[in-house]
Amino acid sequence: MPLDAVYITQLKDELARELIGAKIDRVRQPERDTVLLTLRGIGRTDTLLICFGGSARVCLTEERYENPPQPPMFCMLLRKYLIGARITDIEQPERERMLLFRLTAYNELGEAAPLTMAAELLGRNANLILVDAEGRIIDAARRIDADMSPLRQLLPGLVYRLPPQPEPGKFSGLSPLIRREMAFRGLPEEPDSVADLKKVPTMLMENGAPKDFTFLPILQYGPSVESVSCGGWSELLEAFYAQRDRAEHMKSRARSMAKLVRNAIGRTERKLSARIAELGATEDREADKRRGDLITANIWRMKPGMTELVTEDFYEEDAPAVTIPLDSRKSPQQNAAAYYKQYTKKKAAREHLAGLIEENTAEREYLGSIAEEIARAQSPGDLEDIREELIKAGYLRPPKASGKKVKKPKPMPPLRFTTASGLEVLVGRNNLQNDELTFRTARRTDLWLHVLKLHGAHVILCCRDAEPPEEDVYQAACLAAYYSEGVEGGRVPVDATQVRFVKKPRGARPGKVIYTDQKTILAEPRREI
């Protein structure tokens, strides 16, 4: 990301206007590479975020962060030195990607003790270092010894030195994005060229999502990337990283849930395969009954110690000869009883296995529908609703009670669209909402749509007790195709019927329905209608 020296210069000036004179009231370290300082000024309180990880930055933030159960050692050290200190200046060494916060703290005797907090925003080498009045390192978030870097060590007690300067004559401090932009505009890569450019905090948007940020509008991408100006330099960093972090957090949660569902599908499929194999082993049950009958019919001709019985099979036409294995240790009656017992056991197993196979098949279908829900989740609220569904279905444990009353977030509302003629279309976000829409929200005369033989959302075209126009029905079918497993394909078959013809089978899982009187429409997966 282009948090280069020129951007940091603009950020430094903005932060200096707002923070010089503010007092550090609180220090937190919610994550390994993130420190939060609560600052109290005249009539205002701000939170300064300093990130020295992969997303290195300094900005004011309004985001909420959870503190760890125990503060890290570096956080404890910062609290010791920084709480009560005031920011007296914010500096930036020339063309360096770093900020020096000059502070006035007070020691145990009440004497002023100048400190410097150096936020080095150097990408993978980002760091946060606390330096005393004599220029010696009190400590660093990431200590660097001689084995790690022979050129520059960052250890308590050593004199703090700035990062090595670039080669003489080389203009540093510009991100690759800005270098490309200057070449695109035909400008030389020199300090004067950058100084002459108008600086505007700019977010680059691609397909509606944040792509990058910088200090001027970018022309090199053409119309595919939009340059959107923001109110301030700190605000831009906050907006960009907050959106990106939320998106990453959502992706991480979605991946975790998808993995849980995939594992559950795998377990279900293994059970299903084993039970289908067991069911196959019961196919010869009638042969066991037949053997028992033939032994019973031939007891008069059998002798103790026989290992097999050769007799006519009167169940077959022309009564061909058949050989029946016997247990020589058992009497004829006991051999017959053993075959009857096998027959009864296989018959009972077949009935039991048929029920289990039906349950496993339904479970596999249900889990597949949840996997599809996760794939099309659009917000953290969608994932939270799916999580609640997994808890209700027993695939996730409910959170442990903490003793505090936790306000449950309201379920997300269904997606809403309007057709060309003004009819409302409702789209379920998950199985629980699908049931709610179909059996509680929709009127009996509304149109119900669902992609054929694939997992997908229940879609309701609110018809107002009238026959909907064909164009509106097609638009609703396009939505049903889009919010389904068929979204990546071409035209998808979608079934449509009135809600009154949709039924919930007794004991069926959420989202599972049967329906009649449908017509099938070939629809293009499309969200815009």
Side-chain angles (χ1 to χ4, degrees), residues 117-135:
M117 184 172 62
E120 299 184 350
L121 309 175
L122 305 172
R124 288 180 297 177
N125 297 317
N127 211 334
L128 185 63
I129 305 108
L130 193 61
V131 181
D132 65 17
E134 297 177 357

Side-chain angles (χ1 to χ4, degrees), residues 19 49 78 90 199 290 296 325 351 355 435 446 470 480 483 494 505 525:
L19 300 183
L49 179 146
L78 291 180
I90 304 176
K199 313 299 189 298
R290 183 180 294 189
T296 302
E351 293 172 358
D435 283 352
D446 287 341
E470 286 299 318
Y483 290 101
V494 174

Side-chain angles (χ1 to χ4, degrees), residues 189-263:
E189 193 180 304
E190 297 174 355
D192 289 343
S193 299
V194 179
D196 292 340
L197 295 172
K198 184 180 179 181
K199 313 299 189 298
V200 179
T202 302
M203 177 97 77
L204 303 183
M205 305 292 290
E206 185 175 36
N207 298 324
K211 173 184 172 66
D212 231 327
F213 65 89
T214 186
F215 58 82
L216 76 163
I218 298 299
L219 307 178
Q220 61 187 276
Y221 296 121
S224 63
V225 174
E226 181 185 6
S227 293
V228 180
S229 61
C230 292
W233 303 98
S234 180
E235 179 186 327
L236 173 55
L237 288 178
E238 168 77 343
F240 178 83
Y241 283 105
Q243 288 187 52
R244 198 192 70 164
D245 289 350
R246 279 195 291 268
E248 285 300 318
H249 180 61
M250 182 176 165
K251 284 181 184 176
S252 175
R253 287 189 66 196
R255 283 195 296 268
S256 176
M257 290 173 113
K259 182 180 179 182
L260 180 143
V261 172
R262 282 197 306 273
N263 290 342

Side-chain angles (χ1 to χ4, degrees), residues 1 53 88 118 136 197 213 224 227 244 264 281 335 341 384 409 413:
M1 297 301 165
T88 56
R136 294 190 177 276
L197 295 172
F213 65 89
S224 63
S227 293
R244 198 192 70 164
N335 272 287
K341 185 176 181 181
E384 187 60 33

